[in-house]
Amino acid sequence: MGLGKLQPIVNRPTAAQAADKPTRRVTEYPEEVNLTIDLDREEDGRWIAEALELPGVMCYGQTREEAISNTERLAIEVIADRVTQGELPSSAFFDNS
């Protein structure tokens, strides 16, 4: 299965997360791709999400879900591009245990 077809296993927010507090969640994929998504809310109300394993991969959203979704999509594009360019082995984000 190609990276573009990975479907995340969504972790539902806790009560604290639902209360607009900065949070961190790990997105797990069926192939054991794990990305840590760090979330924070800007003063203007927008959410920003960052994939910590991929420096510079961060996106804004009007909602938590939009910021996470945008960041996950960008992370998949960056990983695929790095694999294609030979900058990253195709197994770099997969747990081979």
Side-chain angles (χ1 to χ4, degrees), residues 12-23 41 47 64-65:
R12 299 292 176 222
T14 64
Q17 292 168 335
D20 294 341
K21 297 187 181 200
T23 58
R41 193 156 196 189
W47 286 90
R64 296 167 43 85
E65 294 75 20

Side-chain angles (χ1 to χ4, degrees), residues 19-71:
D20 294 341
K21 297 187 181 200
T23 58
R24 183 172 290 172
R25 95 174 185 190
V26 175
T27 301
E28 297 178 22
Y29 293 88
E31 279 83 10
E32 301 297 324
V33 173
N34 296 307
L35 294 174
T36 305
I37 304 293
D38 194 32
L39 289 164
D40 202 0
R41 193 156 196 189
E42 299 287 316
E43 289 182 18
D44 64 4
R46 295 179 301 163
W47 286 90
I48 186 165
E50 177 181 12
L52 298 182
E53 292 84 359
L54 297 166
V57 174
M58 60 180 71
C59 293
Y60 282 99
Q62 292 301 316
T63 65
R64 296 167 43 85
E65 294 75 20
E66 181 181 22
I68 292 168
S69 178
N70 291 344
T71 301

